[in-house]
Amino acid sequence: MSKPKVFEKPTGVKDYLPHAVAKLRRIERNVLECMRRWGYEQIVTPTLEYYDTVGVASATSDRKLFKLLDHRGTTIVLRSDMTAPIARVAASLLKEAPFPLRLSYHANVFRAFEDEGGRDAEFVQTGVELIGDPSPEADAETIALAIASLKAAGVPAFKIAVGHVGFLNGLFEEALPGRASEQESLKGRLLQRDYVGYREELRSLSLDEAVREELEGVLRLRGGREVCEQAMRLGASGDAQAAIRHLRAVWDVLEAYGVQEHVLIDLTMIGDFSYYTGMTFEGYASNLGFPVCSGGRYDNLLGQFGRPAPATGFALKTTRILEVVDDEAEDAGRTLIVYAQDKRREALAEAARLRADGRIAVTALAEEAQEAEELRKLAADGGRFAYRGTDYSRLVVYGFGEEERA
């Protein structure tokens, strides 16, 4: 392998320039404030975790973990999600805190992907975990908060698709009893949204025609609350029926929130983490093919850290949201303060006053009166003007004749 050039970066990581960072920070600020108003308190966990604890519990496949050895030879990992680290904290530092726990976060996470996949190896997530509440009310709360968070982030149009792991597990076990490998293969097709491959694989299996039609019928189970009624007729197993009853209860709560217009039931969803045990959901922006948020119920995870508890949550894929959020106009309060050398003290005092008022102020020493005069002409009509590659809306000049003030 050739030595990388000085400007090259590892595959899957990005530089974010000031404009993108400003947008990212605005999303972060608005979303975390939205979560705070719903009662979620922010938590920060280490970037590095032990492989044998959080690394194993994360359910990220081993080949997607970034592994390192510390000075003792112990394997550590860069965190691949935030749910497992928060579960560790809930079972240790917060073990005396009563349930439910409402925790939020904003953090970089890391997953290794194949070079040709075009996926980011480092990305930002903003999300919440609601720990200690098994009810449909808790699941509905996370979905409703995800909707509020996407709105706070500025995503213009989106849909939340909601499914349930228990429905598909129950249906497949009823239709294909004891055929675990075939069940997993069909679930894999659904996870990849490969519906053509799903149908072809069903036709390749030795199945009664009625069973095959029942399993193909899963692909039609997308829509509103009426989908739950159709599913009740399709899957007769106890697990499948219980899953649909739970989803109906979640839908009723979402109607009470008044957010059902953003939600659809999609019973082809299986969830891409093995720790999901119940309701799962994904959010899709109207003009982006990848989900901008995902979440679900994971009632078995905290037991791995010695404090069994039901839990549900979601994460916004914040760096993906950058692609769909509109740019905001440059801050109208950006002021350029140009000064002669003998007026430095007055100019810098004015800049400090503006900054104390929450406005943006940039200072520049002008060597000649001509430079100040040219800037006066640019700003004379009261509109925006550019100086050294940056746009400004106001100009203040100290020295070189009469001083201009806002």
Side-chain angles (χ1 to χ4, degrees), residues 68 111 193 206 233 250 316 369:
L68 306 90
R111 293 179 201 156
R193 302 292 186 185
S206 176
R233 296 191 294 269
V250 169
L316 300 189

Side-chain angles (χ1 to χ4, degrees), residues 22-305:
K23 188 193 294 189
L24 185 65
R25 294 293 175 247
R26 186 177 75 244
I27 293 170
E28 171 190 358
R29 182 174 62 251
N30 293 345
V31 170
L32 286 173
E33 176 60 17
C34 173
M35 293 169 174
R36 186 187 70 83
R37 291 177 180 176
W38 283 61
Y40 288 78
E41 298 177 293
Q42 190 175 359
I43 188 171
V44 176
T45 67
T47 304
L48 297 173
E49 297 276 3
Y50 283 120
Y51 170 73
D52 288 334
T53 58
V54 167
V56 173
S58 72
T60 301
S61 66
D62 218 51
R63 63 187 179 84
K64 292 181 180 179
L65 294 173
F66 283 99
K67 299 178 185 176
L68 306 90
L69 294 177
D70 68 10
H71 64 288
R72 299 185 185 91
T74 305
T75 303
I76 56 179
V77 295
L78 296 177
R79 63 187 174 213
S80 61
D81 72 349
M82 283 297 294
T83 302
I86 290 177
R88 173 184 57 75
V89 173
S92 55
L93 297 176
L94 295 176
K95 65 182 179 181
E96 302 300 329
F99 290 141
L101 296 174
R102 286 179 168 85
L103 302 172
S104 65
Y105 60 84
H106 177 84
N108 292 36
V109 297
F110 306 84
R111 293 179 201 156
F113 293 104
E114 298 296 332
D115 290 355
E116 65 271 14
R119 307 275 296 276
D120 289 343
E122 178 184 13
F123 50 97
V124 179
Q125 289 186 339
T126 311
V128 303
E129 310 296 346
L130 174 49
I131 300 171
D133 187 341
S135 70
E137 298 275 344
D139 284 335
E141 179 177 316
T142 58
I143 296 170
L145 178 51
I147 291 168
S149 298
L150 288 170
K151 290 180 178 179
V155 179
F158 58 87
K159 282 286 187 183
I160 303 288
V162 181
H164 199 294
V165 171
F167 173 74
L168 285 175
N169 286 344
L171 184 66
F172 281 128
E173 185 56 37
E174 178 185 37
L176 301 167
R179 299 163 71 172
S181 63
E182 293 169 353
Q183 292 182 33
E184 291 305 312
S185 181
L186 289 169
K187 290 176 188 177
R189 299 284 191 182
L190 293 177
L191 178 61
Q192 299 300 322
R193 302 292 186 185
D194 180 9
Y195 301 136
V196 172
Y198 176 81
R199 288 190 179 94
E200 290 176 348
E201 188 160 340
L202 281 177
R203 295 188 187 107
S204 71
L205 297 176
S206 176
L207 297 173
D208 291 339
E209 189 61 29
V211 172
R212 183 178 294 107
E213 289 179 0
E214 182 182 67
L215 293 180
E216 282 196 8
V218 169
L219 301 179
R220 297 188 292 274
L221 296 179
R222 293 195 291 265
R225 195 181 193 280
E226 73 282 354
V227 167
C228 292
E229 312 310 321
Q230 299 169 22
M232 290 293 276
R233 296 191 294 269
L234 187 63
S237 79
D239 288 344
Q241 297 274 313
I244 297 305
R245 286 194 296 271
H246 185 88
L247 279 184
R248 285 196 301 199
V250 169
W251 184 273
D252 290 344
V253 181
L254 292 173
E255 283 188 333
Y257 276 112
V259 298
Q260 69 274 18
E261 65 180 291
H262 295 288
V263 182
L264 61 89
I265 302 293
D266 182 354
L267 293 178
T268 66
M269 286 185 57
I270 191 65
D272 62 351
F273 282 102
S274 62
Y275 54 59
Y276 284 142
T277 59
M279 179 276 301
T280 65
F281 66 93
E282 290 182 339
Y284 289 86
S286 59
N287 55 348
L288 190 67
F290 298 104
V292 292
C293 78
S294 61
R297 177 161 289 281
Y298 53 98
D299 288 348
N300 296 334
L301 179 61
L302 271 84
Q304 297 184 49
F305 296 96

Side-chain angles (χ1 to χ4, degrees), residues 395-406:
L395 173 69
V396 177
V397 179
Y398 280 85
F400 310 112
E402 184 180 353
E403 294 161 9
E404 301 174 12
R405 288 182 175 273

Side-chain angles (χ1 to χ4, degrees), residues 338-342 344 364-373 375 387-388 397-400:
V338 176
Y339 59 90
Q341 189 165 341
D342 62 343
R344 178 185 287 124
L365 171 67
E367 299 290 348
E368 299 178 357
Q370 181 181 355
E371 183 178 0
E373 184 58 32
L375 282 170
Y387 176 69
R388 295 180 181 175
V397 179
Y398 280 85
F400 310 112

